[in-house]
Amino acid sequence: MDVSQPKTVVVTGASRGIGRAIAMTLADEGWLVRGLARGDGDFDGLGAHPRVTCARVDVAAEKQVRDFFASLKAEGVQVDALVNNAALQGGEPIGAQSLADWQRFFSVNVTGAWLMAKHALPLMPAGAAIVNVGSVASVAGFAERAAYCASKHALVGLTKALAAELAPAGVRVNILCLGSFDTPGLRELARSRGAALADYAKRQLCGRLGDPDEASAACSFLLSERNTFMNGALMAVDGGLLVKGAHG
């Protein structure tokens, strides 16, 4: 990208893990990054980057999303790209899961991405791009993760529908389907299930966990001008997890 004319990208779930890696990679490449997160953390130093501005926004709260984009409009900011990374992870047996828990997964993982796209679009020019961050759970099923899998499958449908709808306006929409990466979220999930990170590494053909920078590199490509012929596509960066699952 021509750093003399920096473009603006909005990244949700940017305070840690994959989202933070995406925000840092894009900022290092010359993007002006607006990093969003819901929690009370410190963005793990992300805001110290000279091309990153951090803000507290709950993607499932429409007023917060609408107000955020209204503030960008007031600043005269054009949104050249959107990365919908914010998501809830985890799960439990369906008999133990409450309706409220089920709905929360969809509220963040699907409705959040829909709200961000809806309110970003008036600020997006032709040539803009959206990347939804999905998972191998967007195309496969995993025991005791019904809400997570169903919401990530729904994100694929949203991606394809938006790609078809926004193509005439010159906006591309793709989905990045990730395997197991060494992130705080995976470590928390492993602890909750009494598992070791090595157990997740063994599930992938590569025999290791992914590095968040490997996910951010793929996201960077999907947003870049090197990639103008992918639209409504799924890109799997999963260490071969899906292939290994299919072949035992």
Side-chain angles (χ1 to χ4, degrees):
M1 186 176 63
D2 181 0
V3 295
S4 66
Q5 296 181 325
K7 296 182 178 181
T8 295
V9 57
V10 177
V11 181
T12 69
S15 62
R16 65 179 193 163
I18 299 296
R20 183 184 184 280
I22 290 172
M24 287 294 290
T25 292
L26 295 178
D28 287 342
E29 291 177 351
W31 289 83
L32 297 178
V33 178
R34 300 291 181 129
L36 308 185
R38 175 178 59 89
D40 295 326
D42 62 358
F43 284 89
D44 195 18
L46 181 65
H49 196 292
R51 285 190 288 273
V52 178
T53 302
C54 299
R56 296 289 167 199
V57 176
D58 182 348
V59 299
E62 183 168 21
K63 185 179 185 303
Q64 292 186 35
V65 173
R66 184 173 57 243
D67 288 350
F68 169 73
F69 285 108
S71 70
L72 294 190
K73 182 178 180 179
E75 293 176 38
V77 174
Q78 174 178 280
V79 177
D80 301 287
L82 168 64
V83 180
N84 284 314
N85 169 73
L88 291 183
Q89 298 188 53
E92 55 192 338
I94 188 170
Q97 190 164 55
S98 69
L99 177 59
D101 286 340
W102 167 271
Q103 292 174 330
R104 182 61 179 163
F105 271 90
F106 276 82
S107 179
V108 175
N109 297 2
V110 186
T111 304
W114 177 81
L115 284 171
M116 290 295 298
K118 173 183 172 68
H119 292 286
L121 279 169
L123 302 181
M124 300 187 88
I130 297 173
V131 172
N132 293 324
V133 179
S135 162
V136 290
S138 294
V139 295
F142 297 92
E144 299 184 359
R145 301 190 75 183
Y148 181 73
C149 290
S151 64
K152 287 299 187 179
H153 273 66
L155 193 59
V156 172
L158 177 63
T159 299
K160 293 181 177 181
L162 288 180
E165 180 176 342
L166 303 181
V171 177
R172 295 178 294 106
V173 189
N174 294 294
I175 184 166
L176 186 60
C177 296
L178 303 179
S180 297
F181 284 75
D182 190 357
T183 63
L186 182 67
R187 291 174 180 273
E188 291 165 7
L189 178 63
R191 282 195 298 270
S192 71
R193 292 173 173 258
L197 289 180
D199 296 330
Y200 290 90
K202 292 175 183 176
R203 294 162 54 189
Q204 302 178 123
L205 283 180
C206 291
R208 65 173 177 85
L209 297 176
D211 185 289
D213 286 341
E214 293 174 299
S216 65
C219 184
S220 173
F221 170 73
L222 287 177
L223 293 177
S224 75
E225 295 176 358
R226 294 169 293 157
N227 170 47
T228 56
F229 201 56
M230 287 177 67
N231 202 8
L234 286 75
M235 175 186 278
V237 182
D238 67 344
L241 189 155
L242 290 172
V243 172
K244 186 170 184 178
H247 294 276

